[in-house]
Amino acid sequence: MAGRGKLIAVIGDEDTCTGFLLGGIGELNKNRKPNFLVVEKDTSITEIEETFKSFLARNDIGIILINQFIAEMIRHAIDGHMQSIPAVLEIPSKEHPYDASKDSILRRAKGMFSADDFR
Amino acid sequence: MGLSELEDSLDARLLLFMEQLELLEEKRSTLNSLIEQGWFSMSKARYSMGNKQVSALQYASEIEPLVCVHARTLGSGDVEFCTERVAQSKESGKDVSSIEDIGPQEEGVRRRNKPKNVTPEKEANDEASSEKAPDVTPVRKSDQNPQQDPLKWFGILVPQSLKQAQSSFKQVIELSAEIAALQTTVLNTRQELKKSMKDKHFLRKETSAAQADEAAE
């Protein structure tokens, strides 16, 4: 595993971003766009979607962490992402606990089974 | 591959898929608990430090990542994620001995109406006092080390709860890499299962058509 590693991006509410930045994943400087977005009450869905797409387009991001309630706002964009890298992980927020039935990955994994498959 | 062999292979793959899903669920549950633990510790820190002291207002103006992730695609199509924590530069000594100088730098201000009669004793005293003063280098806020421990954004002395929050989120980051790898594995296994099921249906149709032909004869 030679070469410079990839970043971990986060799209979340203030507490989520603060926590992960405390963990040391943040990058912020004049030359590059930050790898995190603090979503507040007045943050538009367009901005969230554009940030998500910009993270997907960057080749230096390996994992995108996103609060599930924010992922619900841009579900179509997340469902459209089929590549393995960057990996998208949906995480809970303080006010919205994690719901496995809404997770894109698990829906894709569980949706394959039907009664015919077991004959 | 015969129908029975394909069915055996399908059964094995299905069991593997179920195991992977179970493991993914376990890791997710651990991840969610760790995140909640981190938030709880942050709330405790906020309670003791003040509401605005633990918020986005405290983020540094320049941040360098201290952890990165290495992604490697394996031959089977699975992706392996591995986190690597960057060793922080040892500048803590320099930080302690430097005073943060916030505010406009008074570079343009100079002493006007300089007195002409400066006694040599006064000059000697000035020199002595400057020698006695510790070697302190004023540091502007923009010179802060971008690779510093993020805990320092919140003050020199932070409560133990904030350190616990940091520790929880560090564990979350490690676990996120494992879950990301598991997710890609689960999806790949699903694709293989789907393909094998199609092959099985196709093979079964062929077999039943052949049997029907034999019965007709």
Side-chain angles (χ1 to χ4, degrees):
Chain A
M1 295 179 186
R4 196 173 173 218
K6 293 180 188 281
L7 300 172
I8 299 173
V10 61
I11 301 175
D13 54 23
E14 189 181 28
D15 278 355
T16 302
C17 289
T18 304
F20 281 104
L21 259 60
L22 257 181
I25 65 158
E27 185 188 63
L28 179 63
N29 57 50
K30 290 173 279 190
N31 306 322
R32 283 143 63 90
K33 287 192 173 174
N35 67 332
F36 60 93
L37 174 69
V38 180
V39 174
E40 285 158 351
K41 286 176 189 172
D42 53 359
T43 308
S44 66
I45 295 177
T46 315
E47 191 184 344
I48 296 170
E49 191 173 343
E50 277 173 11
T51 306
F52 178 72
K53 287 183 173 170
S54 71
F55 287 165
L56 290 181
R58 285 171 66 164
N59 59 0
D60 62 344
I61 289 180
I63 298 175
I64 301 174
L65 299 163
I66 181 167
N67 283 138
Q68 197 172 49
F69 82 96
I70 299 171
E72 279 293 295
M73 296 178 197
I74 56 167
R75 185 55 70 194
H76 55 284
I78 293 180
D79 283 346
H81 173 61
M82 294 291 182
Q83 284 116 29
S84 307
I85 302 169
V88 178
L89 250 79
E90 294 179 30
I91 56 177
S93 63
K94 274 168 109 170
E95 284 144 26
H96 302 88
Y98 177 74
D99 184 353
S101 64
K102 293 181 184 173
D103 191 313
S104 282
I105 304 293
L106 291 182
R107 277 199 347 240
R108 253 187 258 168
K110 289 180 183 175
M112 61 171 291
F113 291 112
S114 65
D116 288 338
D117 295 327
F118 294 104
R119 283 191 201 148
Chain B
M1 194 186 266
L3 188 61
S4 59
E5 285 168 357
L6 187 60
E7 283 174 346
D8 289 341
S9 147
L10 205 51
D11 287 342
R13 219 163 259 169
L14 189 63
L15 284 172
L16 177 67
F17 180 67
M18 293 297 180
E19 280 171 17
Q20 287 169 353
L21 267 182
E22 193 181 350
L23 185 62
L24 180 62
E25 205 168 332
E26 268 175 39
K27 285 190 187 269
R28 269 229 168 259
S29 173
T30 311
L31 182 90
N32 294 342
S33 305
L34 278 171
I35 292 177
E36 284 162 15
Q37 204 175 299
W39 283 330
F40 185 58
S41 302
M42 260 170 55
S43 299
K44 281 199 277 187
R46 194 174 276 137
Y47 180 73
S48 59
M49 293 169 75
N51 209 17
K52 297 290 178 190
Q53 292 304 109
V54 185
S55 68
L57 295 169
Q58 303 304 321
Y59 296 172
S61 51
E62 278 190 26
I63 313 171
E64 264 191 40
L66 301 175
V67 64
C68 62
V69 62
H70 295 279
R72 191 167 66 118
T73 309
L74 305 172
S76 56
D78 293 346
V79 180
E80 201 177 75
F81 288 94
C82 177
T83 54
E84 184 192 344
R85 201 154 271 276
V86 175
Q88 285 171 254
S89 53
K90 290 180 183 176
E91 291 193 46
S92 56
K94 188 181 174 184
D95 285 340
V96 167
S97 63
S98 50
I99 295 172
E100 194 177 288
D101 197 17
I102 304 167
Q105 296 299 309
E106 296 177 341
E107 291 173 352
V109 175
R110 59 186 175 85
R111 197 174 183 181
R112 296 180 188 181
N113 299 327
K114 197 171 179 180
K116 291 175 186 177
N117 301 324
V118 178
T119 57
E121 287 173 1
K122 194 177 176 188
E123 281 179 3
N125 284 341
D126 285 343
E127 281 175 13
S129 62
S130 65
E131 279 172 9
K132 283 178 189 172
D135 189 19
V136 171
T137 49
V139 172
R140 290 185 200 172
K141 203 162 188 185
S142 60
D143 292 341
Q144 268 185 353
N145 179 17
Q147 246 197 359
Q148 67 174 184
D149 185 357
L151 267 180
K152 292 187 179 162
W153 304 340
F154 303 95
I156 303 294
L157 283 174
V158 294
Q160 191 63 25
S161 48
L162 196 64
K163 293 179 186 174
Q164 285 168 354
Q166 186 184 48
S167 166
S168 297
F169 277 101
K170 279 181 178 175
Q171 289 179 63
V172 167
I173 290 163
E174 303 286 324
L175 205 50
S176 300
E178 292 175 29
I179 290 176
L182 248 180
Q183 278 184 176
T184 55
T185 307
V186 159
L187 289 176
N188 281 341
T189 310
R190 170 197 174 258
Q191 292 288 40
E192 286 169 13
L193 265 173
K194 205 173 176 182
K195 184 180 171 299
S196 297
M197 278 191 186
K198 274 185 185 171
D199 292 344
K200 175 191 161 186
H201 288 310
F202 178 73
L203 213 57
R204 190 180 268 167
K205 276 182 186 172
E206 276 195 339
T207 313
S208 56
Q211 283 174 352
D213 289 341
E214 277 179 24
E217 284 170 8

